[in-house]
Amino acid sequence: IEGVLVGLSIFALVSLTTYGAFAAIAGITTAAIYPWLAARSVVQHSARSLKILRGRLPFAIDQIALMMQAGANFEDCLRTLVSDEQGHPLAEEWAIALNEISAGRSRREALLDLRDRLGDQDVAELVFAINKGEELGTPLSRILSEQAEQLRLKRSQWGEKAAAEAEVQIVFPGMLVMLACLLVIVAPILLPAVMNILEQ
């Protein structure tokens, strides 16, 4: 619907300044391309939000574990986290889970919905550990501390992997820069020699 409306707007604007046929082509093209661009924008925004969420997740889990060790329950910890991290993607997801729990769903179901909504492996492992710990009677604060430690380890591994990939990717640009520098140094020497050869 947005694509059609934007296409009609483009058609109306272009038709005021140019031929109707060109305006129609511009409007139809915009209406056809807009849904693809909008879907791509949503996917990119989702990927950015998930990346930000994953970066904050270990520290949030640590915070929840510390509050639970101090005597708070899980839902109170989530409320505190949502209040402290307003506007952050992680806080928004926890807020949805809290609203589901407040509406009468069990904690297990709310966490499973969180896992399905995000589709992230780390979140899936966290939800599995929490739900399994509740079934076995393991203290939740200990489970969360262990999960936070694992996530920090994974984060350091991601950093090492990114650094290794960057090192490989920088080789080709580095070679181009070296070649350009070599040309700048050698060109003043070679050009006169080439000119003399051509003149002869």
Side-chain angles (χ1 to χ4, degrees), residues 66-200:
L66 289 172
M67 286 189 286
M68 292 192 73
Q69 288 171 2
N73 63 36
F74 187 71
E75 284 75 20
D76 289 338
C77 295
L78 291 186
R79 289 188 189 93
T80 302
L81 187 66
V82 169
S83 176
D84 292 345
E85 301 283 345
Q86 288 184 359
H88 196 281
L90 181 59
E92 293 172 359
E93 294 298 332
W94 283 131
I96 294 172
L98 269 175
N99 290 335
E100 291 182 355
I101 294 171
S102 300
R105 303 198 72 184
S106 67
R107 182 195 298 174
R108 178 186 179 85
E109 291 173 337
L111 291 176
L112 289 175
D113 283 348
L114 174 70
R115 178 200 66 186
D116 296 339
R117 198 164 52 246
L118 293 176
D120 181 68
Q121 182 64 32
D122 294 332
V123 176
E125 290 176 4
L126 173 65
V127 170
F128 175 79
I130 292 173
N131 289 337
K132 197 68 176 176
E134 285 188 334
E135 290 177 7
L136 300 175
T138 309
L140 191 53
S141 59
R142 192 175 78 187
I143 293 172
L144 293 173
S145 297
E146 292 173 355
Q147 287 294 310
E149 187 64 32
Q150 290 179 12
L151 287 173
R152 275 193 294 272
L153 179 60
K154 281 188 177 181
R155 191 176 179 187
S156 65
Q157 291 172 345
W158 295 332
E160 291 172 1
K161 181 181 178 183
E165 291 175 354
E167 185 178 349
V168 173
Q169 292 172 356
I170 203 68
V171 170
F172 181 69
M175 290 178 63
L176 290 179
V177 171
M178 288 177 61
L179 182 60
C181 293
L182 185 62
L183 288 174
V184 169
I185 295 170
V186 174
I189 300 170
L190 289 180
L191 282 176
V194 172
M195 294 298 294
N196 288 336
I197 293 171
L198 292 175
E199 288 174 359
Q200 293 175 0

